Amino acid sequence: MTRDWTALPSANSLWEATAEPARAFPVLSGEHQADVVIIGAGYTGLSAAHHIARSGLAPVVLEANSPGWGASGRNGGVITAKFRLSFREIDAVHGRAMARRMYEIAHESTDMVEELVSEFGITSANLTRTGQVKAAHNETTLKAAVDEADWMTREMGSAEVRILSKGAVRDETGSDVFVGGVLNPGSGGIHPLNYLRGLADGVARRGVPIFQQSPVIKLRRDKDGIVAETPQGAVRAKQAIIATNSYSDLTDATAHMQRTLIPFRSALIATEKLPRNLAGMLMPTGRTYTETKRMMRWFRMVDDHVIFGGRGAFGKQDSQAAFDALRKAMVGIFPDLADVPLAYKWSGLVAMTLDSVPHIGRIDDRTLVSMGYNGAGVAMSSLMGRYLAAFVRGEAPDVGLLDVSRMKAIPFYPLREPAVRMVAGWYQFLDAIGQ
Ligand SMILES: Cc1cc2nc3c(=O)[nH]c(=O)nc-3n(C[C@H](O)[C@H](O)[C@H](O)COP(=O)(O)OP(=O)(O)OC[C@H]3O[C@@H](n4cnc5c(N)ncnc54)[C@H](O)[C@@H]3O)c2cc1C
């Protein structure tokens, strides 16, 4: 079923409130020609546009809303070199060579964010590489996190990971609830919407046409290539890239991709600016933090606002109950925030896949996709743009487990929402009993 894209609200987020003004892009009207038509102006689509243009080809980007309206403008801005599937799991199932290749790809992804920020001079993105702490809520999960870190050091040569004592995590966070943790110094944080707007602006300044409020409502083959039709125009191209991720079902033209994804709502809250004395006590190093719970929550401090994120409501809309649950969890970790009002709350859809990794590649001779970032896509989708450009040029880059041939349709697709709810309920139960 196709959603009415015009009825969906933008995010009422801290990012929207603090972002650089958005450049206004035109609406597509009339007929246009291109080498590649890119559907979706998130990080995937814009990075692909940049890398394709750099190859000497002519891309056009079509966006149903405005650039960054999807996950790229409303995420947590946490930059990590990982997949939801751990490298240890990859090693156990697919062997050492595959684990190493995936490790390389993960690190290429964080480097790509740095490269794009510097290429387009996006200083307002405030990119930091100050690290991420995985904070353990009990001894069992601490042991698992430490084992994982030891394995990474021993087997992947990941020398940088450090184990933190309870006292060190208390100094890091300002919270007393954690029993210890693991620091990964290579991770970082970014202002996701400024990063997105900087990319859109930079790509447009180099001559790539970007059209907003231009949903592709039909994608059809013609004798020479492919035609993307919008309500007021069309782009004829040799190849198309579908970069719509968890919003693939906005129109029928891309809705078939949604059958490979399980959309999962992720929600965020942000406090008002804290008084300086309180802000100085919490998260003073500017790192990002995740919990070890299965229903993972994460937090960071940005400009004296605490941002706290985790699972959102099930279904198509936000729910106040999900925001209340996040707030309760936040106050559980930081009791000093009990009387601090919230200034922002927002949510978006992340795209989970059956094998917990994204997929990229050619789905037919004229169409390419990259999607399914499993909630860890800021860096990965930025990198996938470079690989998409390689596929467009006819190359066959080694993308390891991300190869689209491994992408599977979700079985019993109509039942995915009740199934997600059931799994989430089971995870919450295990977290509650400390397993
Ligand atoms: C709440 C939330 C928090 C997150 N936090 C993090 C985080 O901290 N760290 C991290 O690494 N990842 C995070 N993620 C994931 C990350 O944001 C995404 O993986 C990434 O932004 C995906 O980028 P994308 O360009 O593929 O998709 P999107 O940014 O979603 O872009 C897809 C675009 O396609 C457009 N579109 C859809 N259909 C059509 C059509 N028919 N025609 C034209 N345009 C169309 C949509 O309007 C949308 O703008 C989070 C995601 C969410 C939702």
Side-chain angles (χ1 to χ4, degrees):
M1 200 183 65
T2 297
R3 294 188 219 164
D4 174 7
W5 65 88
T6 55
L8 296 170
S10 291
N12 165 30
S13 69
L14 173 65
W15 313 128
E16 277 286 348
T18 56
E20 293 293 309
R23 179 175 177 145
F25 294 98
V27 174
L28 184 82
S29 76
E31 286 244 345
H32 295 248
Q33 298 279 347
D35 289 316
V36 185
V37 58
I38 298 171
I39 308 173
Y43 306 132
T44 303
L46 292 170
S47 169
H50 163 59
H51 287 97
I52 289 167
R54 212 162 62 171
S55 313
L57 297 168
V60 166
V61 182
L62 300 177
E63 165 57 47
N65 297 283
S66 52
W69 174 91
S72 300
R74 54 176 92 200
N75 62 71
V78 177
I79 308 277
T80 46
K82 65 174 189 191
F83 300 94
R84 200 159 73 87
L85 189 66
S86 74
F87 298 109
R88 200 177 187 175
E89 289 168 300
I90 295 173
D91 185 70
V93 178
H94 302 279
R96 185 57 48 95
M98 181 62 87
R100 285 209 181 284
R101 178 62 192 131
M102 295 293 278
Y103 183 78
E104 272 168 22
I105 293 174
H107 284 78
E108 282 172 26
S109 76
T110 45
D111 290 347
M112 176 54 69
V113 177
E114 219 163 87
E115 187 181 313
L116 289 171
V117 163
S118 134
E119 169 96 28
F120 292 111
I122 316 174
T123 48
S124 61
N126 290 333
L127 173 63
T128 56
R129 296 287 293 268
T130 41
Q132 182 180 61
V133 173
K134 188 184 241 190
H137 62 284
N138 64 30
E139 293 297 340
T140 313
T141 57
L142 177 62
K143 182 173 178 321
V146 169
D147 280 356
E148 177 80 21
D150 285 346
W151 185 89
M152 290 293 291
T153 308
R154 207 173 50 243
E155 310 294 339
M156 294 281 110
S158 168
E160 73 266 32
V161 183
R162 281 200 351 244
I163 314 296
L164 302 180
S165 65
K166 178 176 171 66
V169 176
R170 187 177 43 232
D171 293 346
E172 279 275 345
T173 57
S175 168
D176 206 23
V177 303
F178 300 107
V179 300
V182 172
L183 166 66
N184 184 341
S187 303
I190 201 162
H191 187 304
L193 187 55
N194 275 345
Y195 172 44
L196 184 290
R197 288 188 177 164
L199 274 182
D201 190 54
V203 167
R205 272 192 280 114
R206 295 202 184 163
V208 175
I210 300 176
F211 295 95
Q212 62 182 34
Q213 310 304 332
S214 302
V216 174
I217 49 175
K218 195 164 179 193
L219 192 58
R220 64 177 170 82
R221 295 166 75 90
D222 75 356
K223 65 176 179 9
D224 302 322
I226 194 150
V227 184
E229 294 178 10
T230 67
Q232 297 172 45
V235 177
R236 278 174 196 282
K238 296 189 190 81
Q239 305 186 58
I241 291 177
I242 303 180
T244 47
N245 203 40
S246 46
Y247 293 96
S248 295
D249 65 351
L250 287 194
T251 77
D252 287 340
T254 48
H256 56 288
M257 293 313 305
Q258 201 81 357
R259 296 191 80 82
T260 63
L261 306 171
I262 304 167
F264 194 98
R265 188 167 287 280
S266 178
L268 290 83
I269 53 177
T271 63
E272 279 187 351
K273 257 184 196 282
L274 304 185
R276 211 45 301 281
N277 58 337
L278 180 53
M281 284 160 47
L282 306 182
M283 298 174 257
T285 58
R287 301 195 219 278
T288 64
Y289 299 87
T290 64
E291 285 187 295
T292 49
K293 290 188 175 174
R294 282 182 184 75
M295 291 307 290
M296 196 260 287
R297 300 211 171 88
W298 62 269
F299 41 95
R300 61 185 290 210
M301 176 86 84
V302 173
D303 269 346
D304 295 350
H305 299 269
V306 173
I307 305 181
F308 197 90
R311 178 176 69 73
F314 293 107
K316 303 243 181 284
Q317 303 298 333
D318 284 332
S319 90
Q320 188 52 44
F323 291 124
D324 290 345
L326 277 184
R327 185 187 167 90
K328 188 167 167 224
M330 179 181 77
V331 172
I333 295 174
F334 301 110
D336 290 337
L337 298 181
D339 298 322
V340 177
L342 293 185
Y344 306 97
K345 52 186 183 185
W346 70 101
S347 73
L349 295 174
V350 300
M352 314 301 264
T353 56
L354 279 183
D355 56 2
S356 302
V357 294
H359 293 291
I360 177 170
R362 200 169 266 295
I363 54 170
D364 63 41
D365 59 332
R366 294 174 199 176
T367 319
L368 300 114
V369 299
S370 178
M371 54 183 61
Y373 300 105
N374 286 274
V378 174
M380 196 52 63
S381 58
S382 304
L383 175 68
M384 289 301 107
R386 192 180 83 202
Y387 283 117
L388 282 166
F391 282 111
V392 161
R393 293 190 299 264
E395 297 161 17
D398 175 6
V399 292
L401 292 181
L402 311 191
D403 194 284
V404 79
S405 62
R406 296 175 181 266
M407 180 167 76
K408 292 195 180 58
I410 308 298
F412 308 111
Y413 184 72
L415 297 180
R416 73 199 185 287
E417 275 182 17
V420 166
R421 219 170 285 154
M422 210 171 72
V423 172
W426 173 241
Y427 282 178
Q428 265 169 335
F429 171 72
L430 291 176
D431 284 339
I433 63 171
Q435 294 296 303

